[in-house]
Amino acid sequence: MDWGTVSTEDLMEALKEVDWSSPPRPLNEFFNKFTIPRSSNKWNSRLKCNLYYYRTNYFLMIIFILGLGFLRKPLAIAAALSTALTIAFLNDSFAGTFSEKATRFVRQFSPHLAAKMRPSLTPVLRGRPSSKRAVHICGRPRWQFVLMSSAVSFILWFVSCGLLTLLWALAVGLLATIMHASFRTPNLKARLNTFREEFRAVWRNYSEL
């Protein structure tokens, strides 16, 4: 895959739909080899490839930096976690996995309630879905969970007075992410993993027809 031809919008869309449940890459691979890109095109391609391949590592690194910044503000930690959960709900894979695990947990105590938490089936016309199925969480539209989590995050940030600390921590985390993604040399394993996930996405779209 030529990452130089991938637009920023396509990258964001891929990060939204990709499976985030995969474990992070090993640290010996994450900090393995660094080189200076030879041109702006090489840097652009390398940045997108590393952001996609090491997405879980970057997410955990930013969470770690936020945790260090909020060591003396436990309420701000809860606000950061609530904000992270809000962002995670926007990912289709995370929303589906969260809904499935929550339904399984509720089924242990109330099978009837768990049945109500399952999303309704998409109507099928001529052997194909009539439209792209909307993402539901625990039987409710996703936007309801995003709105509720956003409201909780706003209240916690307001009470904790940790917005300035959040901005500094995010700035450091994003700077560290961009620096690593710019100088980490993409390896063959990253390219092969990208091809495999592309094949899974195409096969998933084909199976939905």
Side-chain angles (χ1 to χ4, degrees):
M1 178 178 182
D2 185 10
W3 283 96
T5 61
V6 177
S7 64
T8 304
E9 292 78 9
D10 293 336
L11 177 62
M12 297 302 297
E13 188 67 23
L15 291 176
K16 177 183 176 181
E17 297 180 356
V18 78
D19 184 9
W20 284 76
S21 61
S22 58
R25 311 299 176 185
L27 291 180
N28 57 347
E29 176 187 344
F30 189 63
F31 296 105
N32 186 12
K33 185 179 180 180
F34 296 90
T35 57
I36 299 177
R38 292 173 292 180
S39 64
S40 59
N41 291 333
K42 290 288 185 180
W43 172 80
N44 185 37
S45 177
R46 176 185 299 186
L47 181 68
K48 295 174 182 176
C49 180
N50 286 331
L51 286 176
Y52 185 84
Y53 182 68
Y54 294 110
R55 56 186 179 273
T56 306
N57 296 72
Y58 294 143
F59 178 76
L60 294 177
M61 182 173 65
I62 293 176
I63 293 298
F64 177 75
I65 294 175
L66 287 173
L68 292 179
F70 295 141
L71 284 178
R72 296 183 179 180
K73 296 182 178 181
L75 195 59
I77 296 179
L81 292 176
S82 180
T83 303
L85 184 62
T86 303
I87 298 174
F89 278 146
L90 298 176
N91 178 262
D92 296 347
S93 176
F94 178 86
T97 303
F98 179 88
S99 179
E100 182 180 355
K101 291 184 177 180
T103 303
R104 289 180 180 177
F105 177 78
V106 173
R107 189 188 297 124
Q108 300 176 1
F109 307 96
S110 177
H112 181 69
L113 179 59
K116 293 183 178 180
M117 294 171 60
R118 293 194 172 278
S120 58
L121 298 177
T122 304
V124 177
L125 298 177
R126 296 182 181 179
R128 295 187 178 184
S130 59
S131 61
K132 185 177 180 181
R133 188 176 66 177
V135 179
H136 286 69
I137 301 177
C138 300
R140 295 289 182 178
R142 174 169 55 183
W143 67 267
Q144 295 183 4
F145 279 80
V146 173
L147 184 62
M148 180 178 62
S149 183
S150 300
V152 173
S153 302
F154 177 79
I155 294 174
L156 291 176
W157 283 122
F158 181 79
V159 174
S160 64
C161 301
L163 285 178
L164 184 61
T165 305
L166 171 67
L167 294 178
W168 277 106
L170 284 179
V172 173
L174 293 177
L175 178 62
T177 298
I178 295 176
M179 292 293 291
H180 181 277
S182 299
F183 295 103
R184 174 64 173 91
T185 305
N187 51 22
L188 180 60
K189 184 178 180 181
R191 295 186 176 94
L192 291 176
N193 182 80
T194 301
F195 292 146
R196 183 171 64 251
E197 293 190 355
E198 282 182 341
F199 175 79
R200 290 176 178 175
V202 172
W203 179 257
R204 183 171 58 251
N205 293 334
Y206 176 79
S207 62
E208 291 178 354
L209 296 178

